Amino acid sequence: MSDTPAKPSVLFVCVHNAGRSQMAAGWLAHLAQGRIEVRSAGSAPAGTINPVAVEAMAEAGVDITAEKPKVLTPEAVQDSDVVITMGCGDACPFFPGKRYEDWKLEDPAGQGIEAVRPIRDEIKARVSQLIAELLPA
């Protein structure tokens, strides 16, 4: 048994769990290197991840090809310390005692790679900030 506290867990939520939340989860998994539990889900998940989001992340050296859109469950929210929503509106279940943040981000759906790159980079900056808050040195 170790005395280390349980690692923090973060849930990223958007409507389709195909673009923004997948890029955010990819960044968090990549940058936190296993020190934070990463979840993502959508209130109305798409059938597949946005291929342009996959391409944009691949350009940055992060592979999210194995990910699949997942449906948002109350359990996923309950099991997470931080819930970050990206335009899922009222569909996100609310539990007291959780840290909620709403990240206003452009939706990459239907956009070309040139439009998705700045979204990817903004998500990386926000995820880096989140890691700094959750894992103080």
Side-chain angles (χ1 to χ4, degrees):
M1 301 285 281
S2 75
D3 292 331
T4 54
K7 57 181 165 180
S9 61
V10 175
L11 171 65
F12 294 103
V13 183
C14 64
V15 176
H16 300 301
N17 188 216
R20 292 166 289 191
S21 56
Q22 291 288 357
M23 288 193 286
W27 275 125
L28 184 57
H30 180 72
L31 297 170
Q33 300 172 317
R35 296 172 299 161
I36 297 175
E37 194 176 334
V38 182
R39 299 184 174 98
S40 71
S43 49
T48 58
I49 283 196
N50 177 338
V52 182
V54 171
E55 181 185 351
M57 292 299 285
E59 284 183 356
V62 180
D63 180 5
I64 60 170
T65 54
E67 298 301 321
K68 300 272 181 279
K70 292 170 284 304
V71 70
L72 177 64
T73 64
E75 294 75 30
V77 176
Q78 217 158 0
D79 293 344
S80 301
D81 300 310
V82 181
V83 179
I84 295 178
T85 57
M86 303 170 174
C88 76
D90 300 333
C92 291
F94 181 83
F95 290 94
K98 302 291 172 195
R99 172 177 161 188
Y100 286 87
E101 284 185 29
D102 187 49
W103 290 1
K104 303 272 186 251
L105 294 161
E106 196 72 35
D107 189 349
Q111 306 226 43
I113 189 76
E114 280 74 26
V116 174
R117 282 184 189 120
I119 301 168
R120 172 200 67 201
D121 296 342
E122 182 176 348
I123 291 171
K124 180 182 183 183
R126 289 176 184 231
V127 166
S128 296
Q129 175 64 40
L130 181 67
I131 292 169
E133 292 167 13
L134 294 177
L135 301 173

